[in-house]
């Protein structure tokens, strides 16, 4: 009897629709028959959509045998499926935050990576020997993996789309206003980004958040 991959659930998160180009999506992958699947070099999960992009989780159960060698894969990857969705033909950079979780593995890891579409096709994951060992040592027939994917930045020629999710904005504003500033204008929260134009090098910008400035200044 062949092992089966039972369930794959992808849901828009916090009100951000899956059709939006800059999306946040929660994806769950339930695996049955893992003890047989672990004999494979790689186990491929189903594709799921985050905005205009499609991603896939991949497991490499034998990653622990690499002994930390850079030419051996880690156990868990999030990869871009460039053949699906709508990937811009000239994508200089895609910035993604991915939060991996698995109760059975005791896994809670977050990565934030900005790289080219080609590199994202290869995938990124938590480079962690503990994660590699947990996957290799898992003896149960079932395994559940969850990932929260946030598209944060998309760099194309002459256009950069920056997305900056903020949690607990009121607490952020209260903390900001409690710090004295003689100049009366300061920003502790900012994000750097680049715009690729006709010049050989990109132009760097910085987006600043001033949460205490209202209509009165």
């Amino acid at each position: 009897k062949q092992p089966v991959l039972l369930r794959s659930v992808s849901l828009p998160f916090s009100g951000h629709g899956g059709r939006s180009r800059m999306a946040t999506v929660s994806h769950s992958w339930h695996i049955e028959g893992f003890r047989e699947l672990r004999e494979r070099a790689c186990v491929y999960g189903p594709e799921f959509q985050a905005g205009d992009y499609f991603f896939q989780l991949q497991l490499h159960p034998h990653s622990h045998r690499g002994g930390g060698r850079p030419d051996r894969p880690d156990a868990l990857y999030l990869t871009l499926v460039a053949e699906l969705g709508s990937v811009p033909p000239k994508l200089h950079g895609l910035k993604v935050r991915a939060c991996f979780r698995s109760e059975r593995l005791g896994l809670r890891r977050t990565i934030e990576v900005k790289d080219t579409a080609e590199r994202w096709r290869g995938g990124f994951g938590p480079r962690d020997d503990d994660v590699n060992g947990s996957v290799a040592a898992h003896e149960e027939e079932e395994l559940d993996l969850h990932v929260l994917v946030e598209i944060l930045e998309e760099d194309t020629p002459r256009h950069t789309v920056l997305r900056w999710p903020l949690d607990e904005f009121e607490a952020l504003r209260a903390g900001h206003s409690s710090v004295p500033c003689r100049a009366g204008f300061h920003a502790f929260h900012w994000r750097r980004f680049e715009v690729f134009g006709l010049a050989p090098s990109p132009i760097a910008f910085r987006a600043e958040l001033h949460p205490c400035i209202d209509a009165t200044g």
Side-chain angles (χ1 to χ4, degrees):
K1 182 179 179 180
Q2 293 295 322
V4 293
L5 311 183
L6 273 187
R7 293 192 301 272
S8 170
V9 180
S10 302
L11 298 173
F13 188 78
S14 299
H16 297 288
R19 294 182 179 274
S20 172
R21 193 164 194 86
M22 311 295 283
T24 296
V25 171
S26 177
H27 173 72
S28 298
W29 178 22
H30 177 77
I31 306 172
E32 281 197 349
F34 179 77
R35 295 181 66 179
E36 185 173 343
L37 287 171
R38 62 182 291 184
E39 299 304 318
R40 303 180 184 179
C42 183
V43 183
Y44 299 92
E47 299 89 358
F48 64 95
Q49 189 172 5
D52 286 350
Y53 298 94
F54 278 79
F55 292 90
Q56 180 186 60
L57 286 175
Q58 295 182 4
L59 273 176
H60 297 261
H62 301 306
S63 59
H64 70 296
R65 299 178 184 175
R69 287 169 47 187
D71 60 332
R72 293 297 181 93
D74 287 297
L76 181 60
Y77 282 87
L78 175 71
T79 66
L80 174 68
V81 185
E83 295 79 10
L84 300 176
S86 177
V87 179
K90 293 183 179 180
L91 182 63
H92 292 291
L94 184 67
K95 186 175 183 180
V96 177
R97 180 188 296 141
C99 304
F100 301 91
R101 179 174 59 85
S102 174
E103 300 299 333
R104 296 175 187 265
L105 297 178
L107 167 66
R108 287 184 180 274
R109 298 289 190 280
T110 299
I111 64 171
E112 189 171 298
V113 178
K114 178 181 176 180
D115 217 313
T116 63
E118 190 62 31
R119 292 266 295 170
W120 265 109
R121 289 185 66 179
F124 294 94
R127 301 189 62 86
D128 191 315
D129 288 339
D130 291 338
V131 176
N132 297 345
S134 296
V135 173
H138 187 68
E139 294 287 347
E140 299 179 26
E141 283 292 333
E142 297 186 1
L143 178 62
D144 294 285
L145 296 171
H146 311 275
V147 63
L148 180 68
V149 176
E150 296 180 278
I151 310 294
L152 300 180
E153 188 177 328
E154 178 189 79
D155 300 343
T156 57
R158 302 187 182 184
H159 295 89
T160 292
V161 181
L162 175 69
R163 179 169 173 263
W164 187 358
L166 295 169
D167 297 327
E168 300 180 355
F169 179 77
E170 290 302 326
L172 183 149
R173 179 160 56 185
H176 193 279
S177 61
S178 65
V179 179
C181 177
R182 294 179 180 178
F185 189 80
H186 58 284
F188 297 119
H189 305 279
W190 55 273
R191 290 291 185 272
R192 184 178 181 274
F193 65 97
E194 298 173 333
V195 176
F196 291 80
L198 299 178
S201 300
I203 304 173
F205 292 89
R206 185 169 119 160
E208 297 184 350
L209 175 65
H210 300 270
C212 297
I213 297 178
D214 57 18
T216 64

